[in-house]
Amino acid sequence: MIDRRNFTLGAAALGLGALAAPIEAKVRRKPAKMLDVLVLGAGGSGLQAAWLLEQQGLKVKVLEGRKRVGGRIATLTDQPGYPEMGFNSMADGYGRGFDAAERAGVEMVEVGARYRFGKPPMLWLNGKPLTREEWAKFPGNPFPDALKMTLPGELVAVLVSKNNPLGDWTAWNDPANAKLDISLREFMKAQGLSDEAIRLGNDVSPYYGTTAADVSALMLEYNDGFVKAQFAAGPRSMAVKGGNIRLAEGMARLLKGDVLLGKEVIAITSSASSATVHCRDGSQFTARKVVCSLPFSTLRKVKILPGLKGVQAEAVARLPYQPLSMVFLTATSPFWDEDGLAPGMWTDGIAGNVMVQRFGSTPDEITGFIAQARGGLANQWDAMGKEAVFAAVTGAIGAMRPAAKGKLRAAEFFSWKNEGFNLGDWAYFGPGHISKYVNHMAKPAGRIHFCGEHTATGARGLEGAFESAERVALEVLGA
Ligand SMILES: Cc1cc2nc3c(=O)[nH]c(=O)nc-3n(C[C@H](O)[C@H](O)[C@H](O)COP(=O)(O)OP(=O)(O)OC[C@H]3O[C@@H](n4cnc5c(N)ncnc54)[C@H](O)[C@@H]3O)c2cc1C
């Protein structure tokens, strides 16, 4: 607890002097009807938490830094096929997701068949194309015999799926599993993979981290369990007709309280009876409780008084976030018909993973391509900047496939690391982080409660964000 004098001193010490006087005035006046909950962040978890709390009769306000809702639900609504820069699709086991979609009044459509339609993407190594069968016999294939048919982009998922030592994936954060919290590199080495196999199968395009050395194998094992549970629930991948952003917009419309945009949170101060949230524009809001859905990557820039402690403070300061950048491309003519090769390309070069977008009226219509860079390549793209990336990606594809030369237009560049309100795509756990952080980092800290995909323990992605919203709502109601 902090008294008024200490708060003023603390705020001044933090460079919040300008904010201190108005806060004192507010504390003295005591607003007649205090808000019950301030929800920070209008992504999936924040919107879901706000709705759940309102359903229980609480008075809620949402503060969002961006000028839009949705967070990592991010559709390019001005591009053909409404390409998704963030959340793509829900699997059949997304009960909370489908429920939210129904409430929000959006129509869900099956998109999984569109991902798989047409010729499967080819592997391009050193600028030369290989089919799966050619790759299996390729002299430079460094994978063990049993995995020769596995493409580099599939390797980690296949390896973890076949050798997952985690009996019950839902118990991934049980301290009994701490022995599995080793690096993915160590795990891959134990399966007999060479350095070259690890480089090509993970480090060129890592799902988590920048190399196999900086991600926990246990995280991949948990993810594998979640994915298998989704397949067991059904085969579909569902997305929102007209763009996933409509889901977030529909969820925001359901709220009775305000969703205030452009409210970048810079500080949270708590007293014995309330918490006050300070925004960069000078505005401040007080409520009994705060639900914070901010990714730790941005929360670490927010001043919290009294401060977080111990392992929780360390996790907020250190939890790593994935570098991932994307370029959306359109084609002026179907160069893939001209050269007869598959339109999709997984490359080991500067073009990254070039994924086909088939979101026209029928799946045979190609509405564009998303070239995706992860880990080290994403960092490289970010350092190059948009125009240089556009030139490098279209140039590299044109050099590999002369039929594509001059026919690709780079329309958008999107870097999750450079998005100031995310500073990375998703949270991942480094070796040892799970045993150290997971069971402590989302605990309530005084009047602040935490949600968001990074705090989910029973689901991943958007479903995890929704799961965390349920947990936090129960926590607030029970507090
Ligand atoms: C490329 C990509 C593909 C994905 N694909 C899938 C998929 O296919 N399936 C799936 O289930 N999941 C997928 N996901 C993950 C899913 O999108 C996220 O897990 C989910 O949207 C996260 O929701 P959240 O509420 O936890 O975080 P966010 O959506 O990030 O919400 C946090 C909110 O806080 C705001 N904020 C941050 N800092 C501040 C501040 N200082 N002040 C005020 N506001 C602030 C942000 O603007 C944001 O709106 C994908 C994500 C990405 C990036």
Side-chain angles (χ1 to χ4, degrees):
M1 190 182 89
I2 51 173
D3 60 28
R4 210 175 69 194
R5 182 172 174 278
N6 281 338
F7 169 73
T8 311
L9 286 173
L14 287 169
L16 300 174
L19 301 175
I23 297 163
E24 282 192 281
K26 201 154 200 169
V27 169
R28 269 200 303 274
R29 256 191 274 120
K30 281 223 170 116
K33 231 183 151 197
M34 193 189 283
L35 275 172
D36 291 308
V37 183
L38 279 163
V39 173
L40 312 186
S45 66
L47 293 171
Q48 178 87 334
W51 183 81
L52 289 166
L53 292 167
E54 283 193 347
Q55 293 308 295
Q56 299 304 312
L58 269 58
K59 202 171 160 215
V60 178
K61 198 187 278 291
V62 181
L63 304 177
E64 165 56 48
R66 284 185 169 97
K67 296 274 168 58
R68 63 165 181 85
V69 297
R72 276 169 276 179
I73 305 174
T75 311
L76 299 179
T77 49
D78 57 351
Q79 294 296 334
Y82 307 127
E84 302 292 350
M85 295 295 102
F87 164 71
N88 267 291
S89 56
M90 296 183 194
D92 261 321
Y94 276 43
R96 301 172 182 94
F98 289 118
D99 182 55
E102 197 177 329
R103 240 187 292 129
V106 295
E107 189 185 336
M108 301 299 290
V109 288
E110 215 287 323
V111 291
R114 291 182 183 237
Y115 298 143
R116 295 183 293 273
F117 191 88
K119 290 181 182 160
M122 289 178 88
L123 171 63
W124 291 74
L125 288 186
N126 292 318
K128 301 274 178 294
L130 294 166
T131 61
R132 185 184 293 275
E133 292 68 30
E134 287 164 345
W135 167 242
K137 294 189 217 112
F138 186 64
N141 183 334
F143 298 164
D145 285 350
L147 293 166
K148 288 271 186 219
M149 281 291 273
T150 307
L151 294 168
E154 303 164 343
L155 182 84
V156 171
V158 170
L159 193 69
V160 174
S161 173
K162 284 188 173 161
N163 303 285
N164 193 340
L166 187 61
D168 172 8
W169 68 274
T170 62
W172 67 292
N173 55 338
D174 186 324
N177 288 317
K179 60 185 180 301
L180 303 176
D181 197 7
I182 57 170
S183 76
L184 176 63
R185 181 179 167 76
E186 234 179 294
F187 172 88
M188 292 174 90
K189 279 272 174 197
Q191 310 303 322
L193 273 87
S194 65
D195 287 349
E196 175 54 11
I198 294 172
R199 186 195 69 80
L200 192 61
N202 183 76
D203 300 357
V204 168
S205 183
Y207 193 67
Y208 297 118
T210 53
T211 72
D214 61 26
V215 60
S216 167
L218 180 52
M219 176 167 194
L220 275 299
E221 290 153 11
Y222 161 47
N223 203 58
D224 174 61
F226 177 70
V227 169
K228 283 175 178 156
Q230 297 306 311
F231 279 125
R236 297 177 310 165
S237 293
M238 306 291 285
V240 178
K241 190 172 181 185
N244 288 323
I245 193 64
R246 291 187 176 188
L247 170 61
E249 291 165 352
M251 290 175 73
R253 274 195 298 274
L254 291 174
L255 298 176
K256 294 188 217 120
D258 295 332
V259 178
L260 301 181
L261 303 179
K263 294 289 176 193
E264 180 185 351
V265 173
I266 57 166
I268 309 168
T269 55
S270 302
S271 73
S273 56
S274 64
T276 297
V277 174
H278 310 256
C279 297
R280 184 160 310 278
D281 64 4
S283 58
Q284 48 187 264
F285 304 86
T286 298
R288 277 195 312 111
K289 296 266 178 193
V290 168
V291 164
C292 177
S293 79
L294 275 41
F296 282 0
S297 46
T298 71
L299 181 62
R300 65 184 62 131
K301 295 164 80 182
V302 173
K303 313 276 187 204
I304 301 178
L305 272 177
L308 303 176
K309 292 196 182 78
V311 172
Q312 185 170 45
E314 184 184 318
V316 171
R318 296 216 182 136
L319 192 69
Y321 276 75
Q322 180 70 18
L324 188 145
S325 296
M326 289 184 260
V327 171
F328 178 66
L329 305 139
T330 53
T332 51
S333 82
F335 58 84
W336 51 92
D337 285 344
E338 222 176 287
D339 65 17
L341 299 172
M345 307 165 74
W346 190 100
T347 83
D348 64 348
I350 192 84
N353 182 9
V354 185
M355 297 176 291
V356 185
Q357 305 292 294
R358 296 179 178 274
F359 295 109
S361 46
T362 58
D364 54 351
E365 183 191 342
I366 292 183
T367 45
F369 296 85
I370 290 178
Q372 194 181 79
R374 298 174 182 171
L377 184 61
N379 288 334
Q380 189 184 336
W381 279 16
D382 293 355
M384 290 164 65
K386 174 177 157 176
E387 295 304 330
V389 171
F390 282 179
V393 169
T394 53
I397 298 173
M400 288 185 276
R401 314 174 65 155
K405 233 180 227 165
K407 299 197 183 104
L408 279 169
R409 194 179 70 86
E412 291 277 351
F413 177 66
F414 199 93
S415 158
W416 281 104
K417 204 81 195 179
N418 285 346
E419 279 284 303
F421 289 108
N422 281 98
L423 300 174
D425 185 342
W426 39 64
Y428 67 91
F429 295 99
H433 282 171
I434 295 177
S435 13
K436 191 165 187 196
Y437 295 158
V438 172
N439 295 331
H440 309 282
M441 65 185 214
K443 290 249 164 74
R447 301 198 156 265
I448 311 174
H449 297 253
F450 299 92
C451 68
E453 58 91 22
H454 52 292
T455 71
T457 53
R460 308 283 308 138
L462 187 63
E463 189 68 359
F466 289 158
E467 175 223 289
S468 77
E470 279 172 17
R471 191 249 315 132
V472 89
L474 288 170
E475 228 175 66
V476 168
L477 294 166

